[in-house]
Amino acid sequence: MASPSKAGAAVAALREDLVGDVFAPGDPGYDDARAVFNAMIDRRPAVIAQCARPEDVVRAVRCARDLDLPIAVRGGGHSVAGMAVGDGALVVDLRRMHEVSVDPDARTVRVQGGATMSHLDRATHPYGLATTGGRASTTGVGGFVLGGGTGWLDRAFGLAVDNLLGADLVTADGSPVHADADEHPDLFWALHGGSSNFGVATALTLRLHELPRFTIAMVLFLPTAGPDVVRAFREIIRTGPDEVSGAVLYFTGPPEPFVPPDLVGKLLCGALVTYVGGEEGLRRLAEPLLALPHEGKIVGPVPYPDVQCMLDDPPGMRNYWSAEYLTGLPDALVDVFCGLADGMPVPTGTQHIIFPQGGAIAAGPAEYPVPYRNAPWATHPFGIWENPGDDEQAMAWVRDVRAAVRPWSTGAVYLNFIGDEGADRVVAGLGTDNARRLGEVKRRYDPDNVFRFNHNIRPA
């Protein structure tokens, strides 16, 4: 750790050099700058560098190394574990760097490291193009993609990381590096699931796909209908094309026009069917659900960027998430899943979700460190609430879901869906053999483990 005088001089120099702003403890705006999506996180970085250009990132990383500070990377999304900030760290905050450049002829898009899904989807939509994004518009693109990336389009277009064509990073020694299949191929491989362990991603280049039409059916049911709803949805996925996806989820009824007033604030079961195609095809696919007695529905074309906003949750809430990837969805598991909704904290923003994989996910490149690729189903207990008095119930419910479905678990997990669940779960999210290889890449690009506020891969 540098002396106070050296640290003060270095921070002063950083303020002069950066186009963006720099905050230290005691500065006006410091507390706002360190606040993250999850209100359960309260950490005090040594320095926050709000970078406005790649050169700012280089300068910030070099400053952190001069001061012997670890580095946290803030891409602008959720990071349920609060990995965007770290006590005593220098935070490289990329939120000002959110430019999106679309090349419609090449069907590619270049996305700066601080962009969210809303920035990406709104930029590509006018061209009738899209790539796999998260299931919320506020998800940060960088962390989402480098962590694997699953969303409504993955059965049709593959995981987000399957569409990664190149990345610009600033590595632990402050060097700008481009990685793709030809340049630094070892690093490029590691970025397919290894997240922020290897540097600060200032920009990503992604493959785009044609998406001229996108339609959905959101059908609401009383919670007692849950088992029939899940079985009907399971049949839609089993018999439908790769272009169909969605989820079944239990949630608190929001004050929206499609929710009957007497069900607002009450536990509901919803089935969301998404379809890369037109309304006629969607209605045929969704018929098993629409035939069940239901309380409300939305059926028809909806712009993909608007669908991305449907499950948005506000920042500043308390969050605790987890996930299990499943070997299948037999009737016994359907009953267990639906029964677990009884313990949800209601009314809160908590969601109890089960969704399909398969399609282009399972058909994607087997060599990448995403061991959950071959699981046909996944469940995602998504705890979100406001009152600290609900902490114990909400966190216990998430853990109960994991424990109850574990007999059907593949053992693999998508790390973007979980907080800090220990080193074994990090390995489960990468694969044992992959974790060893990733450790070797980590040694080459970050031997001192400077980037350790993440699902950490230690240098081998």
Side-chain angles (χ1 to χ4, degrees):
M1 182 68 66
S3 67
S5 59
K6 179 181 178 181
V11 172
L14 190 63
R15 293 186 201 275
E16 290 292 322
D17 290 346
L18 257 63
V19 173
D21 293 326
V22 176
F23 297 93
D27 289 344
Y30 170 80
D31 284 335
D32 287 340
R34 70 184 180 89
V36 292
F37 178 80
N38 187 354
M40 298 181 77
I41 306 299
D42 182 18
R43 295 180 184 149
R44 300 188 64 82
V47 185
I48 301 170
Q50 293 187 333
C51 301
R53 56 180 184 165
E55 293 84 357
D56 284 358
V57 176
V58 170
R59 183 67 186 89
V61 170
R62 290 176 179 172
C63 177
R65 299 312 308 271
D66 288 345
L67 296 178
D68 195 26
L69 295 176
I71 298 171
V73 183
R74 182 165 192 174
H78 300 150
S79 183
V80 65
M83 293 169 179
V85 291
D87 287 327
L90 186 148
V91 174
V92 177
D93 186 338
L94 302 175
R95 285 177 293 170
R96 294 189 179 190
M97 297 173 57
H98 53 71
E99 182 178 326
V100 178
S101 303
V102 181
D103 185 336
D105 294 328
R107 293 185 186 172
T108 62
V109 61
R110 179 178 169 84
V111 187
Q112 286 192 319
T116 64
M117 286 300 154
S118 181
H119 294 123
L120 172 58
D121 296 334
R122 299 291 177 189
T124 60
H125 180 69
Y127 300 99
L129 298 171
T131 194
T132 299
R135 294 174 174 87
S137 70
T138 51
T139 302
V141 176
F144 169 78
V145 172
L146 299 183
T150 171
W152 305 128
L153 299 178
D154 54 13
R155 282 174 43 83
F157 300 154
L159 296 170
V161 79
D162 296 342
N163 293 290
L164 178 64
L165 300 175
D168 293 333
L169 292 95
V170 177
T171 56
D173 62 359
S175 298
V177 169
H178 177 78
D180 59 26
D182 299 316
E183 294 185 64
H184 301 282
D186 59 337
L187 177 59
F188 187 59
W189 172 84
L191 295 175
H192 287 72
S195 194
S196 61
N197 271 280
F198 307 98
V200 183
T202 57
L204 304 177
T205 300
L206 304 171
R207 181 185 298 109
L208 296 174
H209 304 262
E210 290 189 5
L211 187 65
R213 295 177 298 175
F214 192 70
T215 53
I216 69 165
M218 179 67 176
V219 192
L220 302 183
F221 302 88
L222 296 176
T224 51
D228 290 337
V229 172
V230 176
R231 290 182 176 97
F233 182 77
R234 180 183 63 188
E235 187 65 9
I236 290 170
I237 298 299
R238 187 186 71 81
T239 60
D242 294 348
E243 287 76 15
V244 65
S245 189
V248 176
L249 63 158
Y250 289 85
F251 63 106
T252 299
E256 297 289 348
F258 66 96
V259 179
D262 61 316
L263 296 180
V264 172
K266 305 290 181 60
L267 181 66
L268 294 175
C269 177
L272 174 63
V273 181
T274 64
Y275 182 52
V276 178
E279 182 174 349
E280 183 179 349
L282 169 74
R283 286 187 177 274
R284 283 197 303 268
L285 289 163
E287 178 56 32
L289 285 168
L290 296 172
L292 295 175
H294 52 273
E295 307 301 316
K297 66 184 178 184
I298 299 173
V299 182
V302 181
Y304 174 67
D306 293 347
V307 175
Q308 290 287 72
C309 300
M310 287 180 62
L311 297 180
D312 282 357
D313 287 298
M317 305 291 283
R318 304 175 77 77
N319 285 257
Y320 186 75
W321 314 345
S322 196
E324 289 291 341
Y325 279 69
L326 307 169
T327 57
L329 188 54
D331 285 344
L333 176 53
V334 170
D335 293 338
V336 167
F337 170 80
C338 294
L340 289 161
D342 293 340
M344 288 176 60
V346 176
T348 67
T350 297
Q351 298 168 15
H352 182 34
I353 307 169
I354 198 159
F355 63 87
Q357 293 217 117
I361 305 169
E367 67 268 21
Y368 295 148
V370 282
Y372 50 86
R373 181 184 297 280
N374 294 323
W377 290 86
T379 185
H380 178 30
F382 182 93
I384 179 168
W385 65 99
E386 185 174 11
N387 185 353
D390 292 331
D391 285 4
E392 184 175 346
Q393 178 192 359
M395 294 172 70
W397 173 77
V398 171
R399 290 191 289 265
D400 287 347
V401 172
R402 277 198 63 204
V405 305
R406 198 165 292 140
W408 296 276
S409 174
T410 68
V413 68
Y414 171 47
L415 294 176
N416 283 351
F417 274 170
I418 72 172
D420 183 1
E421 296 184 2
D424 288 347
R425 283 282 270 178
V426 174
V427 173
L430 302 170
T432 302
D433 292 339
N434 292 328
R436 294 192 192 99
R437 183 179 170 188
L438 288 163
E440 295 169 359
V441 179
K442 177 80 166 181
R443 185 184 70 241
R444 287 194 286 275
Y445 291 94
D446 184 14
D448 300 320
N449 202 17
V450 173
F451 299 108
R452 57 179 177 266
F453 296 101
N454 44 40
H455 290 295
N456 193 234
I457 299 164
R458 298 188 64 82

